[in-house]
Amino acid sequence: MRTLALFITSITIALLITSCANKAQNPTQVASNFIQRQTIVAITNETYPAKNPLQVALYRNDQSPHVPYRIIGVATVSKFNLFGTERQNVTLNTMMKKLAASIGGDGLINVKTDEDAMQARVIAFQKILI
């Protein structure tokens, strides 16, 4: 019983600290990301409107976008859910695209996977005025 109380207290403190540190996301989103075992970190002060996850491109290996872009964040998704069950690749790709879309990303590049997680850089296409 005491272990459960300590576990719940630890999670609550972690969520409060995370919600205070990340002003771009509300506490509900932070809790959802914790439960889903995913993170999204914006690396720019600029904000971009959220996009449709179905329109986010996933560039793997030797693929790269043929338009100018800017790296706006880093997305990470655990290969395992909260209960320890391994996620399928389709699920990982969908989760990554949803994370990228949530901060206004148009694509994911430099996709890296290891035994624990999938990580990629979130990019936003840049408009060039001529």
Side-chain angles (χ1 to χ4, degrees):
M1 186 66 156
R2 199 169 166 202
T3 305
L4 179 61
L6 181 60
F7 179 72
I8 291 172
T9 303
S10 299
I11 289 176
T12 305
I13 290 171
L15 289 174
L16 289 173
I17 290 171
T18 306
S19 67
C20 292
N22 192 351
K23 295 179 181 170
Q25 296 179 341
N26 62 33
T28 305
Q29 185 63 44
V30 172
S32 174
N33 285 346
F34 176 78
I35 291 169
Q36 294 291 329
R37 300 192 67 200
Q38 62 188 13
T39 60
I40 185 75
V41 178
I43 58 173
T44 180
N45 290 333
E46 293 183 34
T47 58
Y48 297 85
K51 305 261 173 78
N52 181 347
L54 297 175
Q55 295 176 339
V56 175
L58 184 63
Y59 299 98
R60 291 200 175 258
N61 302 328
D62 59 345
Q63 298 176 329
S64 64
H66 297 294
V67 295
Y69 63 86
R70 180 175 184 185
I71 297 173
I72 62 170
V74 177
T76 307
V77 174
S78 173
K79 285 190 171 182
F80 302 93
N81 67 16
L82 193 60
F83 302 110
T85 306
E86 190 169 356
R87 293 178 169 134
Q88 295 180 354
N89 285 335
V90 174
T91 304
L92 290 171
N93 292 343
T94 302
M95 292 175 74
M96 292 290 281
K97 288 179 178 185
K98 285 181 181 179
L99 284 174
S102 73
I103 64 167
D106 293 305
L108 293 154
I109 62 169
N110 296 10
V111 180
K112 296 178 184 168
T113 58
D114 59 23
E115 61 274 353
D116 296 325
M118 175 186 273
Q119 185 177 56
R121 296 181 188 274
V122 179
I123 60 170
F125 297 140
Q126 297 294 293
K127 297 176 185 170
I128 297 178
L129 301 175
I130 296 178

